[in-house]
Amino acid sequence: MRVILESKVRKKPSLPIEAEAIIPRNFLKGTDLVVFEGNKERTLSELFWIFVEGTAVSPENIEVVLKGDTSRIKRVGEYMDTGTILIEGDIGMHCGNFMSGGTIEIRGSADAWLGREMRGGTIVCRGNAGHYCATGYRGEKKGMQGGTVEVFGNAGDFCAEYLAGGTVHIHGHTGDFPGVEMRGGELLIEGDATRPCGNMKNGSCVILGTVHDLLPTFEKSGTHLLPERNLEMDVYTGDVANRGKGTMMVASRALRR
Amino acid sequence: MTELWVKNACVIDPIRGINGEIMDIAIRDGRIVESVSDRADVIDAHRCLTLPGGIDSHTHVSGTKVNFGRYMSPEDMRAGRTKRRGKMHVTSGYYVPTTFGNSYRYSAMGYTTLLEGAMAPLEARHTHEEFTATPHQDMLANTLFDGNWAVMDAVREHDVRKAAAVVAWTLNAARGYAIKLTNPGGTEAWGWGDDLTSIHEQVPHFAVTPAEIITTLIQANELLRLPHSVHLHCNNLGKPGNYQTTLDTFELVPDLNPARQSLYATHVQFHAYGGGTWRNICSKAEEITRSINSKPQIVMDMGQIMFCRTMTMTADGPMEFNLHCLHHNKWSNHDVELETGSGIIPVTYSKKSAVNCIMWAIGLELALLTKSPWQCLLETDNPNGAPFVKYPEIIGLLMSKRYRDEECATLHAETEKRTSLWALERELDWHEIAVMTRAGQAKALGIASQGKGHLGIGAEADIAIYPIRTDMVDPAREYRKVVEGFQKTRYTIKRGRVVSRDGEIIVDGANATFWVNAKVPEDIRMENDKEFIRRFEQFYTVRMSNYPVQDLYLPRGRCIETEAML
Ligand SMILES: [Zn+2]
């Protein structure tokens, strides 16, 4: 079954919509869902043109497609455990919060907190991701714990902060402090990064681009060849300021300043 | 004139010696009276358990430290959210909720009076502002003197009168209620990067020992005729083997006051550890309670921990640093010039941890092994041991051996070997619980004479009516009903007004703040003491004239005046 939600033109298009109700499982029983626009409760049909194609008996066969201006829609896919969400444009903050299964594909860019505290499932973002991509929320000591987040563009600051499990793959650059407080999982950054992995306890981080301001609390422990890319990597252990057992690999050329 | 008539109440009022009588309570203009007119509003209590309003004699709900706990735990603000509803403000937070969150949840549990466990005098304004925003409970502030330079100078000079005069001036300036000592001397030592490990070790630069600070202030407290005794958080909190320090401290305490204890020892669970390391830590609750049982001059509270995630916050800065080194989690450290300090870290008490299980058992052992419930009061050092919303579970555990056994079966295997909890058959009764949650507190804090903690004629009409029929519930078997019953009153009445009904707050609060003005003779008043003024102006970053809290901060302040014997 495919549920297509095409956003209607709104009087105040900048008002955020809190749409944690938009997960595939909820559409098993119909499209009678409520969301909040600002502080006003709205039915889905007040904000979207809704088209339903086919039927489904179980939620894993449900695909939800979001079209139109969806850049201010928050919390889409929160607690999602199965099924598919396809977002044709940009998506608002907190997409895929606490997600434990299923797939979210974003053709445009995602705002901050993409896949925060995710437990499982897959998120693919074709554009850029905002700050705090694949992290824990403020104060939360365990961020993403499982699943996969792949961003084809760049990610903002604090990407994969408190990463505890799962895989985060950024094809572009990241901002400041990617992988800080990491305690597990894998972070791969193909582009550049600034001050990565501060206070890292465990897990591994691979950076293929240039590292700016490498922290002094990482100990170089050797080199390693990434055969599939034919790249020599410097291997660091850290963050020693936090009894860290994490591994950070940085392409050797990157440190020839 | 407002009148209320509570009829068919099953009253337990330990201070007046009433234990489960069915009676009616007449209330006029906030106080309990002989009778009311037939125009009075009527509440039929349907023979439900009716107690004086609950009193927490040691909790952390207001002030800079608590608020910093809020800053530090944004993740906690995701829990416990409630919307604005009727008279209720929005609330959020579980272990460090917003002020209104604290106030509503306490009120739903029937609590009407709270003593904030630690207020730094220099930061008193903030505490009083938060008191005003905790509107459904009358508030009192323990005022910190553990590292007060002027007090330590007086202690060194063996001048009890001077120490008393400094306390009187500071309590008045801070609008405080009682003397609080948190790791006396140790927190000051921490200001120099150090801690004290014995009550006979000297505080750096001051040449006084914790033992001298404690004994001097116990005497000063009585000279000032303060309603409460010295309120002590002993040295060496949370260290394996610390029970010896606690016993040594108890030995220092003379019996000076026939009306109440001479020392209130708080969260004693954290001070009752045997062993020498975290690996061989064990319970010394038997030794501690043997001492308490022979010393009517001491009252303690449990400091029970419960298995949950929470925040520890205390003026005991060095202890928090040690915990931080153990957990490697976020940590805040704070120095209050010339007075005290504080530290804050989050903790999770887990049944997987043998240490945590032993701590849990020790708290219960203390309560079950103390013969008189008046000497061991129920609290968790909220939120240090657990948020106060866990009190009903603790009541259930104390009243039911079966409940304890069921919990014990889920604990780390070491717990049975290193505590005596498994062997304790005692089950507390309703009367003992009433003592441990209100009457004992009223007596220990010295507020029974202010009309708190009892339902006698003239008392403040603070009343909690719980949906519990004591004649129909067997707490030993039906402990779930006990826990549920204490979680939500049917009615909480504060100064004669129903403030909470079935857990819903239905009016705006109008609490009072009690503070003490101990009058000392003109010749030893600190505002006339040239040396005190000189040192104040030299060392503090505030002017002495700007230091006292203005009345504006206590819109409903209630001053208790005492005539010092100096
Ligand atoms: Zn405390």
Side-chain angles (χ1 to χ4, degrees):
Chain A
M1 182 172 89
R2 173 184 288 198
V3 181
I4 299 165
L5 304 174
E6 191 174 342
S7 64
K8 294 182 178 175
V9 176
R10 293 193 286 149
K11 263 197 212 111
K12 292 178 183 164
S14 64
L15 264 188
I17 296 172
E18 305 277 338
E20 73 274 24
I22 300 182
I23 59 172
R25 177 177 292 282
N26 285 349
F27 290 95
L28 255 191
K29 292 198 203 98
T31 57
D32 217 6
L33 302 175
V34 292
V35 295
F36 272 83
E37 184 187 27
N39 59 3
K40 301 270 185 318
E41 202 175 59
R42 306 266 190 238
T43 62
L44 220 48
S45 56
E46 283 178 89
L47 300 175
F48 298 95
W49 302 107
I50 305 174
F51 309 94
V52 179
E53 300 168 355
T55 57
V57 285
S58 71
E60 58 263 34
N61 302 326
I62 296 179
E63 181 185 25
V64 180
V65 181
L66 283 155
K67 294 185 175 201
D69 178 11
T70 52
S71 62
R72 302 291 288 178
I73 305 181
K74 295 162 67 182
R75 298 165 68 192
V76 168
E78 183 168 297
Y79 288 107
M80 166 170 171
D81 57 348
T82 185
T84 309
I85 296 178
L86 172 66
I87 296 147
E88 296 202 339
D90 299 340
I91 193 67
M93 289 191 275
H94 295 286
C95 178
N97 274 353
F98 308 109
M99 168 178 181
S100 59
T103 305
I104 299 178
E105 182 179 349
I106 303 153
R107 298 247 166 95
S109 292
D111 206 337
W113 309 104
L114 175 67
R116 83 148 153 107
E117 285 160 67
M118 180 173 173
R119 279 28 168 189
T122 305
I123 296 179
V124 178
C125 174
R126 305 276 168 200
N128 300 322
H131 298 311
Y132 294 97
C133 170
T135 63
Y137 201 44
R138 307 267 186 220
E140 186 54 60
K141 292 285 167 186
K142 250 190 192 162
M144 174 170 161
Q145 293 172 47
T148 308
V149 173
E150 187 170 10
V151 177
F152 284 85
N154 303 324
D157 297 341
F158 292 98
C159 171
E161 186 194 32
Y162 287 107
L163 182 67
T167 309
V168 180
H169 183 173
I170 310 293
H171 289 262
H173 307 302
T174 61
D176 212 357
F177 291 124
V180 289
E181 303 278 3
M182 259 178 82
R183 44 205 58 202
E186 290 167 34
L187 170 61
L188 170 59
I189 302 166
E190 296 199 29
D192 303 342
T194 308
R195 295 190 283 184
C197 298
N199 226 27
M200 174 189 211
K201 263 190 181 158
N202 215 330
S204 78
C205 172
V206 176
I207 302 165
L208 304 181
T210 301
V211 171
H212 303 283
D213 301 328
L214 181 76
L215 295 169
T217 48
F218 282 82
E219 261 169 6
K220 191 169 170 187
S221 55
T223 56
H224 177 76
L225 188 75
L226 280 188
E228 67 272 28
R229 294 179 194 269
N230 197 24
L231 266 180
E232 175 152 294
M233 308 292 289
D234 291 330
V235 182
Y236 294 85
T237 308
D239 179 331
V240 293
N242 193 19
R243 305 183 290 195
K245 297 190 187 71
T247 310
M248 181 168 72
M249 285 197 253
V250 182
S252 300
R253 60 174 156 71
L255 282 179
R256 278 187 229 121
R257 288 164 203 248
Chain B
M1 187 174 77
T2 58
E3 293 186 323
L4 185 65
W5 175 242
V6 179
K7 59 178 200 179
N8 278 322
C10 174
V11 175
I12 300 179
D13 183 355
I15 287 181
R16 291 195 304 145
I18 295 169
N19 187 6
E21 267 177 54
I22 304 297
M23 49 198 287
D24 301 339
I25 304 166
I27 299 162
R28 183 181 307 118
D29 294 333
R31 293 209 173 248
I32 293 175
V33 293
E34 291 281 359
S35 61
V36 283
S37 68
D38 49 15
R39 292 184 304 277
D41 291 330
V42 177
I43 286 177
D44 190 336
H46 295 289
R47 299 179 156 241
C48 283
L49 176 63
T50 302
L51 303 176
I55 302 173
D56 198 329
S57 53
H58 189 107
T59 178
H60 300 275
V61 287
S62 299
T64 45
K65 175 163 45 59
V66 179
N67 211 37
F68 209 84
R70 293 188 185 107
Y71 289 148
M72 271 174 65
S73 46
E75 74 280 11
D76 185 47
M77 292 300 146
R78 289 150 65 173
R81 289 191 188 178
T82 58
K83 288 186 181 168
R84 198 176 83 175
R85 199 165 62 231
K87 294 283 183 190
M88 293 171 79
H89 293 244
V90 169
T91 76
S92 68
Y94 175 65
Y95 44 81
V96 260
T98 56
T99 56
F100 288 102
N102 276 323
S103 193
Y104 298 158
R105 291 173 211 172
Y106 261 123
S107 196
M109 286 166 45
Y111 276 75
T112 52
T113 303
L114 308 176
L115 175 107
E116 162 57 42
M119 171 175 80
L122 184 64
E123 295 168 351
R125 283 178 178 79
H126 185 170
T127 310
H128 287 295
E129 287 184 310
E130 290 201 5
F131 280 180
T132 308
T134 310
H136 294 287
Q137 285 78 26
D138 290 335
M139 306 298 283
L140 311 92
N142 261 350
T143 309
L144 291 160
F145 287 97
D146 41 72
N148 187 295
W149 287 15
V151 166
M152 287 195 290
D153 288 341
V155 171
R156 188 179 55 245
E157 290 151 18
H158 302 288
D159 191 342
V160 182
R161 291 177 83 234
K162 178 88 168 280
V166 173
V167 168
W169 183 83
T170 311
L171 282 182
N172 185 33
R175 297 297 191 247
Y177 184 75
I179 299 174
K180 170 76 184 295
L181 300 176
T182 296
N183 186 1
T187 303
E188 175 60 27
W190 178 238
W192 307 91
D194 211 343
D195 191 7
L196 304 181
T197 53
S198 148
I199 56 170
H200 300 297
E201 196 180 331
Q202 285 202 341
V203 183
H205 310 284
F206 282 90
V208 297
T209 65
E212 290 165 345
I213 297 173
I214 295 164
T215 49
T216 306
L217 285 183
I218 287 175
Q219 290 172 43
N221 193 87
E222 299 312 316
L223 289 179
L224 293 172
R225 292 179 149 146
L226 300 183
H228 187 32
S229 68
V230 166
H231 193 116
L232 175 67
H233 154 142
C234 290
N235 299 76
N236 281 333
L237 179 142
K239 293 183 194 156
N242 63 7
Y243 81 106
Q244 199 55 55
T245 303
T246 311
L247 291 178
D248 291 348
T249 306
F250 288 177
E251 289 302 325
L252 298 173
V253 184
D255 192 354
L256 298 178
N257 192 319
R260 55 146 170 82
Q261 78 285 354
S262 299
L263 180 79
Y264 183 103
T266 189
H267 42 69
V268 174
Q269 177 276 126
F270 291 108
H271 304 276
Y273 304 155
T277 67
W278 291 113
R279 291 188 185 283
N280 65 6
I281 184 174
C282 62
S283 166
K284 290 290 177 183
E286 287 180 4
E287 284 77 356
I288 296 287
T289 49
R290 195 175 306 132
S291 174
I292 289 281
N293 286 335
S294 68
K295 292 187 180 62
Q297 68 269 34
I298 301 175
V299 166
M300 63 174 174
D301 62 46
M302 293 166 72
Q304 180 65 30
I305 71 148
M306 296 296 272
F307 300 106
C308 61
R309 179 168 170 171
T310 188
M311 194 62 119
T312 65
M313 45 180 70
T314 165
D316 196 341
M319 187 282 293
E320 292 285 22
F321 175 70
N322 293 335
L323 275 184
H324 165 67
C325 294
L326 218 59
H327 295 296
H328 265 251
N329 205 333
K330 45 192 167 184
W331 166 55
S332 131
N333 182 51
H334 178 53
D335 179 61
V336 183
E337 58 188 41
L338 284 79
E339 294 177 353
T340 182
S342 73
I344 309 171
I345 68 156
V347 291
T348 302
Y349 297 116
S350 156
K351 288 183 178 177
K352 286 184 204 148
S353 152
V355 171
N356 292 164
C357 292
I358 292 165
M359 293 164 78
W360 177 86
I362 293 174
L364 297 173
E365 283 181 284
L366 290 173
L368 296 167
L369 289 166
T370 302
K371 288 195 181 116
S372 164
W374 298 89
Q375 278 184 278
C376 184
L377 308 177
L378 189 153
E379 54 81 82
T380 58
D381 193 19
N382 164 70
N384 289 296
F388 62 85
V389 291
K390 294 276 190 184
Y391 290 0
E393 285 174 49
I394 301 170
I395 293 172
L397 289 163
L398 294 174
M399 295 186 87
S400 169
K401 166 79 169 143
R402 180 190 287 199
Y403 186 15
R404 291 201 295 273
D405 286 345
E406 284 175 20
E407 281 293 298
C408 285
T410 66
L411 301 185
H412 193 284
E414 280 294 308
T415 321
E416 185 172 1
K417 287 179 234 161
R418 300 205 233 153
T419 72
S420 65
L421 185 64
W422 271 247
L424 300 180
E425 300 287 335
R426 185 173 173 195
E427 292 178 329
L428 300 188
D429 62 23
W430 302 105
H431 183 270
E432 287 168 318
I433 294 297
V435 172
M436 289 176 71
T437 54
R438 50 263 293 156
Q441 280 83 351
K443 186 176 169 218
L445 296 176
I447 51 175
S449 57
Q450 302 295 322
K452 295 291 180 191
H454 65 92
L455 302 175
I457 302 302
E460 299 225 321
D462 295 351
I463 304 171
I465 305 173
Y466 295 95
I468 298 174
R469 285 283 301 269
T470 55
D471 53 341
M472 291 164 74
V473 178
D474 173 9
R477 284 188 305 111
E478 299 166 285
Y479 56 83
R480 286 272 152 236
K481 284 190 186 163
V482 174
V483 174
E484 272 168 37
F486 279 109
Q487 275 166 347
K488 225 181 249 181
T489 59
R490 188 138 289 159
Y491 300 95
T492 301
I493 297 167
K494 178 82 194 131
R495 272 205 194 93
R497 289 192 308 164
V498 176
V499 292
S500 165
R501 196 166 54 209
D502 297 320
E504 284 285 303
I505 299 295
I506 54 176
V507 293
D508 291 322
N511 66 345
T513 298
F514 289 85
W515 61 281
V516 175
N517 181 16
K519 291 194 187 154
V520 303
E522 192 83 36
D523 62 307
I524 60 163
R525 284 195 198 150
M526 282 302 120
E527 55 267 46
N528 302 329
D529 186 315
K530 288 208 173 66
E531 182 60 12
F532 180 80
I533 296 169
R534 190 189 66 76
R535 287 175 65 86
F536 197 110
E537 301 293 3
Q538 182 180 354
F539 293 125
Y540 270 105
T541 54
V542 285
R543 289 263 171 114
M544 194 164 154
S545 55
N546 288 332
Y547 185 88
V549 173
Q550 294 89 337
D551 285 329
L552 159 81
Y553 286 86
L554 287 80
R556 288 175 297 272
R558 290 250 301 253
C559 175
I560 299 172
E561 293 202 343
T562 70
E563 290 290 340
M565 297 181 292
L566 288 169

